[in-house]
Amino acid sequence: MSEGRKVIAMQESVLAENQRAADLNREEFARRSVLVVNVVSSPGSGKTALLERTLEALNGQVSTGVIVGDLATDSDAKRLEGKGAKVVQITTDGYCHLDAAMIERGSQELGLTGLELLIIENVGNLVCPAAHDLGEDIRVGLLSVTEGEDKPLKYPVMFKTLQAAVVSKVDLASAAEFDLELALRNLHEVAPQARVMLTSAKSGEGMEEWVAYLRDSARRKKH
Ligand SMILES: Nc1nc2c(ncn2[C@@H]2O[C@H](COP(=O)(O)OP(=O)(O)OP(=O)(O)O)[C@@H](O)[C@H]2O)c(=O)[nH]1
Ligand SMILES: [Mg+2]
């Protein structure tokens, strides 16, 4: 076998192993009726800021846990603590994504008993997390207005896998000369299946719709 073929065969077997672990996670999450949401986006597009506000809004309403993946630090977990949700940090030691085995360990550490919603903040990256099913029900991708309208076209693999897309930092739209109509057209072209929401973690715009979406989805999973 050539070196190239060996590398491809190895990648395929790693992905197959991940898929088996993801299937097991999905069964366990279904058994416990916990809704699992995997949040993906490029670095800095506002995942943690969105989740800070989300946890504040859900506090006392929906029993929530969070698994935060980061290459090297636990600063996002620290930002999310003290908002009524249990938070577990996974440091991937340089890996560009979370995988299903990490989520299995993370959810054991968190404890799923009594949980209605498990939110996963993936490592900031628009490529690697696309190929790694974690066993989630909903994959939500952020597209911040400072990244440019073309990102769905340039990173279609990720956008095609989303159930929901959040256009984030909309308070900065005019400063960034963001063409919202064009961005929505691009999103619709690549990811027509995705429910699109517009949010600002700064002004709070769109937070009600986003939080209601999570709350309603968690309720549906329960029944
Ligand atoms: N104006 C504005 N700034 C925001 C908003 N959301 C996030 N930011 C800022 O954008 C920067 C990055 O936000 P984070 O929430 O850390 O982004 P992230 O996606 O979690 O980043 P990584 O975890 O490193 O991938 C911070 O300086 C935030 O304050 C928003 O809605 N409006
Ligand atoms: Mg973050």
Side-chain angles (χ1 to χ4, degrees), residues 21-87:
D23 292 343
L24 289 175
N25 284 350
R26 191 166 278 113
E27 276 173 31
E28 178 67 3
F29 298 145
R31 208 170 61 74
R32 293 179 176 268
S33 305
V34 55
L35 179 84
V36 181
V37 178
N38 178 11
V39 183
V40 297
S41 75
S42 51
S45 52
K47 295 178 292 300
T48 310
L50 178 73
L51 295 183
E52 286 178 282
R53 276 218 175 221
T54 304
L55 296 185
E56 282 160 11
L58 292 173
N59 195 0
Q61 293 184 16
V62 179
S63 162
T64 305
V66 186
I67 297 176
V68 191
D70 201 284
L71 288 171
T73 75
D74 64 355
S75 54
D76 286 359
K78 290 213 171 92
R79 283 166 63 187
L80 295 172
E81 274 160 10
K83 298 185 186 302
K86 289 192 276 183
V87 181

Side-chain angles (χ1 to χ4, degrees), residues 164-204:
V166 167
V167 179
S168 61
K169 307 193 190 182
V170 290
D171 59 289
L172 298 177
S174 60
E177 297 184 4
F178 185 71
D179 184 339
L180 179 62
E181 242 176 68
L182 175 59
L184 294 178
R185 235 184 3 257
N186 291 343
L187 266 175
H188 188 72
E189 185 183 323
V190 176
Q193 77 289 347
R195 156 100 177 249
V196 178
M197 287 163 272
L198 274 53
T199 65
S200 164
K202 194 102 176 169
S203 72

